[in-house]
């Protein structure tokens, strides 16, 4: 995971969209931005959040420059965390659902199609579980950053 500090100097094309997964729907916040001389055409945050211009942020990304998968951010001025916790719960819920459904298919429906379906559900469950772990790591890092900022504020 990568933490990057910046302030959006201009936000363009802010919109919210809904995407589908194999089971369930998910809301995304989509926008473009300018910051520190860099122009990003497309950025995406899972969940419905509102980016604000001119506010110093510490943004959690899976990798440097991976603006299409922003986990969330901390407002540097006050340490407030902006992250959609429902996205984490959604990934955990879907992982559990996928794994339980696959066990049901394997043990209670005996056919090649059931085995293929179970395999797909197991893979999907593993992907969702990995996403949930990544969100947990991002949330942990954002909490540490938030705590550090709040401590600095209280010490001044």
């Amino acid at each position: 995971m990568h933490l990057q500090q910046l302030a959006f100097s201009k936000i363009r094309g802010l919109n919210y969209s809904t995407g589908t997964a194999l089971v369930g729907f998910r809301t995304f916040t989509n926008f473009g931005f300018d910051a520190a001389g860099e122009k990003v055409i497309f950025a995406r945050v899972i969940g419905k959040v509102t980016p604000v211009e001119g506010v110093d942020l510490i943004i959690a990304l899976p990798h440097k420059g991976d603006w299409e998968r922003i986990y969330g951010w901390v407002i540097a001025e006050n340490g407030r965390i902006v992250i959609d916790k429902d996205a984490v719960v959604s990934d955990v819920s879907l992982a559990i659902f996928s794994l339980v459904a696959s066990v049901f298919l394997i043990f209670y429906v005996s056919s090649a199609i059931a085995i293929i379906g179970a395999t797909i559900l197991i893979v999907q469950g593993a992907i969702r579980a990995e996403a949930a772990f990544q969100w947990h790591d991002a949330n942990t890092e954002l909490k540490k950053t938030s705590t550090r900022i709040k401590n600095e504020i209280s010490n001044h």
Side-chain angles (χ1 to χ4, degrees):
M1 189 195 17
H2 175 73
L3 294 178
Q4 183 161 342
Q5 187 164 0
L6 60 79
F8 301 128
S9 56
K10 180 167 179 71
I11 296 172
R12 294 180 311 287
L14 176 64
N15 67 78
Y16 304 99
S17 61
T18 302
T20 58
L22 288 178
V23 252
F25 294 92
R26 178 167 276 172
T27 301
F28 298 97
T29 302
N30 308 299
F31 61 100
F33 67 87
D34 296 341
E38 181 178 5
K39 184 175 185 173
V40 173
I41 302 298
F42 182 77
R44 173 175 271 183
V45 183
I46 293 178
K48 190 170 184 177
V49 298
T50 305
V52 179
E53 294 176 353
V55 176
D56 198 19
L57 306 171
I58 300 163
I59 301 174
L61 309 164
H63 308 285
K64 185 176 181 176
D66 190 355
W67 295 108
E68 294 183 22
R69 294 175 45 202
I70 299 172
Y71 293 125
W73 53 74
V74 172
I75 299 172
E77 179 182 22
N78 58 20
R80 184 172 156 255
I81 297 173
V82 178
I83 190 170
D84 186 0
K85 291 182 177 66
D86 291 339
V88 180
V89 172
S90 173
D91 280 329
V92 171
S93 300
L94 289 173
I96 292 168
F97 170 80
S98 296
L99 295 173
V100 169
S102 64
V103 169
F104 173 81
L105 284 173
I106 290 171
F107 289 108
Y108 296 103
V109 180
S110 57
S111 73
I113 293 173
I115 300 300
I116 291 169
T119 303
I120 291 169
L121 287 170
I122 289 170
V123 169
Q124 181 193 11
I127 290 168
R128 291 294 184 183
E130 176 63 22
F133 285 125
Q134 289 172 354
W135 276 96
H136 179 268
D137 291 347
N139 195 29
T140 300
E141 288 302 314
L142 289 173
K143 282 181 180 178
K144 287 179 189 175
T145 302
S146 174
T147 300
R148 180 182 50 78
I149 290 169
K150 288 176 181 178
N151 286 340
E152 289 173 3
I153 290 170
S154 68
N155 290 334
H156 285 96

PDB file of all heavy atoms in Angstrom, residues 4 10 27 38 50-51 64 80 97 99 114 135 140 149:
ATOM      1  N   GLN A   4      -0.002   8.807  -0.114  1.00  0.00           N
ATOM      2  CA  GLN A   4       0.463   9.964  -0.873  1.00  0.00           C
ATOM      3  C   GLN A   4      -0.223  11.214  -0.349  1.00  0.00           C
ATOM      4  O   GLN A   4      -1.448  11.247  -0.221  1.00  0.00           O
ATOM      5  CB  GLN A   4       0.175   9.784  -2.355  1.00  0.00           C
ATOM      6  CG  GLN A   4       0.696  10.930  -3.185  1.00  0.00           C
ATOM      7  CD  GLN A   4       0.830  10.581  -4.647  1.00  0.00           C
ATOM      8  OE1 GLN A   4       0.844   9.404  -5.020  1.00  0.00           O
ATOM      9  NE2 GLN A   4       0.935  11.590  -5.480  1.00  0.00           N
ATOM     10  N   LYS A  10      -7.998  21.167  -8.453  1.00  0.00           N
ATOM     11  CA  LYS A  10      -9.206  21.239  -9.272  1.00  0.00           C
ATOM     12  C   LYS A  10      -9.789  19.835  -9.387  1.00  0.00           C
ATOM     13  O   LYS A  10      -9.076  18.879  -9.654  1.00  0.00           O
ATOM     14  CB  LYS A  10      -8.892  21.780 -10.660  1.00  0.00           C
ATOM     15  CG  LYS A  10     -10.120  21.873 -11.562  1.00  0.00           C
ATOM     16  CD  LYS A  10      -9.837  22.699 -12.789  1.00  0.00           C
ATOM     17  CE  LYS A  10     -11.031  22.773 -13.700  1.00  0.00           C
ATOM     18  NZ  LYS A  10     -12.125  23.568 -13.229  1.00  0.00           N
ATOM     19  N   THR A  27     -21.379   1.109  -5.018  1.00  0.00           N
ATOM     20  CA  THR A  27     -21.346   2.499  -5.464  1.00  0.00           C
ATOM     21  C   THR A  27     -19.898   2.956  -5.549  1.00  0.00           C
ATOM     22  O   THR A  27     -19.080   2.611  -4.699  1.00  0.00           O
ATOM     23  CB  THR A  27     -22.116   3.400  -4.477  1.00  0.00           C
ATOM     24  OG1 THR A  27     -23.457   2.942  -4.407  1.00  0.00           O
ATOM     25  CG2 THR A  27     -22.101   4.846  -4.920  1.00  0.00           C
ATOM     26  N   GLU A  38       0.156  17.756 -11.479  1.00  0.00           N
ATOM     27  CA  GLU A  38      -0.226  16.485 -12.089  1.00  0.00           C
ATOM     28  C   GLU A  38      -1.707  16.546 -12.453  1.00  0.00           C
ATOM     29  O   GLU A  38      -2.537  17.065 -11.704  1.00  0.00           O
ATOM     30  CB  GLU A  38       0.004  15.345 -11.091  1.00  0.00           C
ATOM     31  CG  GLU A  38      -0.330  13.980 -11.631  1.00  0.00           C
ATOM     32  CD  GLU A  38      -0.055  12.852 -10.631  1.00  0.00           C
ATOM     33  OE1 GLU A  38       0.316  13.141  -9.474  1.00  0.00           O
ATOM     34  OE2 GLU A  38      -0.243  11.698 -11.007  1.00  0.00           O
ATOM     35  N   THR A  50     -17.085  12.602  -0.978  1.00  0.00           N
ATOM     36  CA  THR A  50     -17.028  13.875  -1.698  1.00  0.00           C
ATOM     37  C   THR A  50     -15.637  14.470  -1.583  1.00  0.00           C
ATOM     38  O   THR A  50     -15.266  14.975  -0.513  1.00  0.00           O
ATOM     39  CB  THR A  50     -18.069  14.861  -1.123  1.00  0.00           C
ATOM     40  OG1 THR A  50     -19.351  14.236  -1.157  1.00  0.00           O
ATOM     41  CG2 THR A  50     -18.114  16.137  -1.930  1.00  0.00           C
ATOM     42  N   PRO A  51     -14.856  14.417  -2.657  1.00  0.00           N
ATOM     43  CA  PRO A  51     -13.545  15.064  -2.625  1.00  0.00           C
ATOM     44  C   PRO A  51     -13.712  16.585  -2.632  1.00  0.00           C
ATOM     45  O   PRO A  51     -14.650  17.113  -3.216  1.00  0.00           O
ATOM     46  CB  PRO A  51     -12.877  14.577  -3.919  1.00  0.00           C
ATOM     47  CG  PRO A  51     -13.989  14.145  -4.804  1.00  0.00           C
ATOM     48  CD  PRO A  51     -15.136  13.766  -3.930  1.00  0.00           C
ATOM     49  N   LYS A  64       1.555   3.212  -5.865  1.00  0.00           N
ATOM     50  CA  LYS A  64       1.769   4.586  -6.302  1.00  0.00           C
ATOM     51  C   LYS A  64       1.159   4.784  -7.694  1.00  0.00           C
ATOM     52  O   LYS A  64       1.405   3.992  -8.602  1.00  0.00           O
ATOM     53  CB  LYS A  64       3.274   4.900  -6.331  1.00  0.00           C
ATOM     54  CG  LYS A  64       3.562   6.326  -6.666  1.00  0.00           C
ATOM     55  CD  LYS A  64       5.040   6.621  -6.597  1.00  0.00           C
ATOM     56  CE  LYS A  64       5.255   8.095  -6.919  1.00  0.00           C
ATOM     57  NZ  LYS A  64       6.647   8.474  -6.778  1.00  0.00           N
ATOM     58  N   ARG A  80      -9.182  13.693  10.335  1.00  0.00           N
ATOM     59  CA  ARG A  80     -10.436  12.984  10.043  1.00  0.00           C
ATOM     60  C   ARG A  80     -10.222  11.986   8.909  1.00  0.00           C
ATOM     61  O   ARG A  80      -9.649  12.303   7.879  1.00  0.00           O
ATOM     62  CB  ARG A  80     -11.525  13.984   9.656  1.00  0.00           C
ATOM     63  CG  ARG A  80     -12.864  13.318   9.447  1.00  0.00           C
ATOM     64  CD  ARG A  80     -13.981  14.351   9.263  1.00  0.00           C
ATOM     65  NE  ARG A  80     -15.053  13.709   8.538  1.00  0.00           N
ATOM     66  CZ  ARG A  80     -15.325  13.911   7.254  1.00  0.00           C
ATOM     67  NH1 ARG A  80     -14.628  14.772   6.551  1.00  0.00           N
ATOM     68  NH2 ARG A  80     -16.297  13.270   6.668  1.00  0.00           N
ATOM     69  N   PHE A  97     -20.265 -15.400   1.920  1.00  0.00           N
ATOM     70  CA  PHE A  97     -21.353 -15.955   1.123  1.00  0.00           C
ATOM     71  C   PHE A  97     -20.816 -16.912   0.059  1.00  0.00           C
ATOM     72  O   PHE A  97     -21.329 -18.015  -0.125  1.00  0.00           O
ATOM     73  CB  PHE A  97     -22.161 -14.835   0.448  1.00  0.00           C
ATOM     74  CG  PHE A  97     -23.145 -15.346  -0.561  1.00  0.00           C
ATOM     75  CD1 PHE A  97     -24.369 -15.856  -0.153  1.00  0.00           C
ATOM     76  CD2 PHE A  97     -22.830 -15.337  -1.905  1.00  0.00           C
ATOM     77  CE1 PHE A  97     -25.278 -16.349  -1.081  1.00  0.00           C
ATOM     78  CE2 PHE A  97     -23.732 -15.831  -2.841  1.00  0.00           C
ATOM     79  CZ  PHE A  97     -24.957 -16.337  -2.427  1.00  0.00           C
ATOM     80  N   LEU A  99     -18.004 -18.599  -0.060  1.00  0.00           N
ATOM     81  CA  LEU A  99     -17.437 -19.827   0.494  1.00  0.00           C
ATOM     82  C   LEU A  99     -18.517 -20.761   1.034  1.00  0.00           C
ATOM     83  O   LEU A  99     -18.468 -21.979   0.815  1.00  0.00           O
ATOM     84  CB  LEU A  99     -16.401 -19.491   1.566  1.00  0.00           C
ATOM     85  CG  LEU A  99     -15.170 -18.749   1.024  1.00  0.00           C
ATOM     86  CD1 LEU A  99     -14.271 -18.309   2.164  1.00  0.00           C
ATOM     87  CD2 LEU A  99     -14.408 -19.588   0.019  1.00  0.00           C
ATOM     88  N   ALA A 114     -22.204 -28.342 -10.668  1.00  0.00           N
ATOM     89  CA  ALA A 114     -22.119 -27.887  -9.283  1.00  0.00           C
ATOM     90  C   ALA A 114     -20.663 -27.705  -8.865  1.00  0.00           C
ATOM     91  O   ALA A 114     -20.318 -26.735  -8.181  1.00  0.00           O
ATOM     92  CB  ALA A 114     -22.820 -28.862  -8.351  1.00  0.00           C
ATOM     93  N   TRP A 135      -8.358  -3.600   2.276  1.00  0.00           N
ATOM     94  CA  TRP A 135      -9.100  -2.504   2.889  1.00  0.00           C
ATOM     95  C   TRP A 135      -8.746  -2.394   4.369  1.00  0.00           C
ATOM     96  O   TRP A 135      -8.609  -1.299   4.899  1.00  0.00           O
ATOM     97  CB  TRP A 135     -10.603  -2.720   2.729  1.00  0.00           C
ATOM     98  CG  TRP A 135     -11.096  -2.234   1.413  1.00  0.00           C
ATOM     99  CD1 TRP A 135     -11.285  -2.977   0.287  1.00  0.00           C
ATOM    100  CD2 TRP A 135     -11.420  -0.900   1.062  1.00  0.00           C
ATOM    101  NE1 TRP A 135     -11.723  -2.184  -0.727  1.00  0.00           N
ATOM    102  CE2 TRP A 135     -11.815  -0.902  -0.285  1.00  0.00           C
ATOM    103  CE3 TRP A 135     -11.424   0.296   1.760  1.00  0.00           C
ATOM    104  CZ2 TRP A 135     -12.208   0.246  -0.946  1.00  0.00           C
ATOM    105  CZ3 TRP A 135     -11.822   1.446   1.091  1.00  0.00           C
ATOM    106  CH2 TRP A 135     -12.204   1.405  -0.242  1.00  0.00           C
ATOM    107  N   THR A 140      -6.139   0.570   8.635  1.00  0.00           N
ATOM    108  CA  THR A 140      -5.169   0.586   9.736  1.00  0.00           C
ATOM    109  C   THR A 140      -4.140   1.698   9.534  1.00  0.00           C
ATOM    110  O   THR A 140      -3.839   2.451  10.461  1.00  0.00           O
ATOM    111  CB  THR A 140      -4.465  -0.783   9.848  1.00  0.00           C
ATOM    112  OG1 THR A 140      -5.461  -1.786  10.104  1.00  0.00           O
ATOM    113  CG2 THR A 140      -3.430  -0.791  10.952  1.00  0.00           C
ATOM    114  N   ILE A 149      -1.504  12.703  13.385  1.00  0.00           N
ATOM    115  CA  ILE A 149      -1.890  14.100  13.117  1.00  0.00           C
ATOM    116  C   ILE A 149      -2.595  14.696  14.332  1.00  0.00           C
ATOM    117  O   ILE A 149      -2.292  15.818  14.754  1.00  0.00           O
ATOM    118  CB  ILE A 149      -2.797  14.182  11.870  1.00  0.00           C
ATOM    119  CG1 ILE A 149      -1.976  13.875  10.616  1.00  0.00           C
ATOM    120  CG2 ILE A 149      -3.474  15.541  11.763  1.00  0.00           C
ATOM    121  CD1 ILE A 149      -2.794  13.661   9.366  1.00  0.00           C
TER     122      ILE A 149
END
